Structure formats: structure tokens, C-alpha cells
Amino acid sequence: QVQLVESGGGLVQAGGSLRLSCAASGSISSINAMGWYRQAPGKQRELVAAIASGGSTNYADSVKGRFTISRDNAKNTVYLQMNSLKPEDTAVYYCNAEIRSVLPINYWGKGTLVTVSL
């Protein structure tokens, strides 16, 4: 069974930084794209950032220049460095990954809450 476990969320003041981590474990042959999504209260889940297995990245316009996604393939882990945080970044952040055990399947973590105060 494959699991994604996020960590690193919390409460931070506006302008501060947080680093999220997401580790994949279980029966893993390979991991394709990995990414971070977020869902704020009353809003739909949205893509924040994604990184392909080869390292190419894409970001939501709202986080470009402030957030950086990276991955450590040896550790099956994806990171999200969040700088210059704003109150509007407050949301539950979810890790997502396409993982191949036998066939590729899209997995989600349970989420980690990020709260940015004024």
C-alpha cells in the first residue's frame, strides 16, 4: 500500500516562511509527477506547484517568485519552500503524486494546514 505523508504546516505571520515536506512510502516502482495543491475554506482545490520526474516545474501565478518546489528522488520526497507568505495563502495543502507500483495511480496525502496571520 502506498502512502503520502505531509509535514511542515503551521501558523506563521505574514512575510514569514514555511517548508512543507511530503514523503511517499510503500510498494513503489517509480514516481512520475509530484505536486502540491491547496484548498482554502469555501474554495475549490487548486494546483500550487508541480514537478516532473525530470525536474521541470510549473507554478500557479499567485505563488510564482515566492514558492519553490523540489524533490529528492532517492527519498521519494517532495518539498515546497514557501516564502513571503500572505494571509491569502492560508489553506490546507495537499501532496499529490502519480506512483507506479504495477500501474500508475494518482495518490493524495491527508493534508497539512498552513495559517498565515496578519
Side-chain angles (χ1 to χ4, degrees), residues 15 27 40 52 75 88 98 107-108 115 117:
S27 178
K75 296 182 178 179
E88 51 263 45
E98 184 181 84
Y107 291 91
W108 290 93
T115 304
S117 64

Side-chain angles (χ1 to χ4, degrees), residues 6 13 57 61 114:
E6 301 105 333
Q13 286 189 325
T57 59
D61 287 344
V114 172

Side-chain angles (χ1 to χ4, degrees), residues 9-110:
L11 174 65
V12 64
Q13 286 189 325
S17 298
L18 282 175
R19 189 191 194 209
L20 305 183
S21 299
C22 171
S25 62
S27 178
I28 298 171
S29 294
S30 62
I31 302 178
N32 297 328
M34 304 183 83
W36 291 94
Y37 289 72
R38 68 186 180 187
Q39 188 166 18
K43 294 188 177 181
Q44 289 189 329
R45 191 174 297 189
E46 62 176 359
L47 174 69
V48 176
I51 184 167
S53 57
S56 60
T57 59
N58 66 285
Y59 296 91
D61 287 344
S62 59
V63 307
K64 283 181 181 177
R66 299 189 298 123
F67 291 9
T68 302
I69 189 170
S70 61
R71 63 191 284 174
D72 184 333
N73 292 329
K75 296 182 178 179
N76 292 334
T77 299
V78 63
Y79 305 96
L80 186 68
Q81 178 67 43
M82 305 186 292
N83 299 328
S84 303
L85 282 160
K86 304 176 181 180
E88 51 263 45
D89 294 318
T90 295
V92 178
Y93 284 70
Y94 297 91
C95 176
N96 175 269
E98 184 181 84
I99 298 175
R100 176 185 292 272
S101 295
V102 177
L103 296 174
I105 298 175
N106 205 37
Y107 291 91
W108 290 93
K110 293 182 178 181

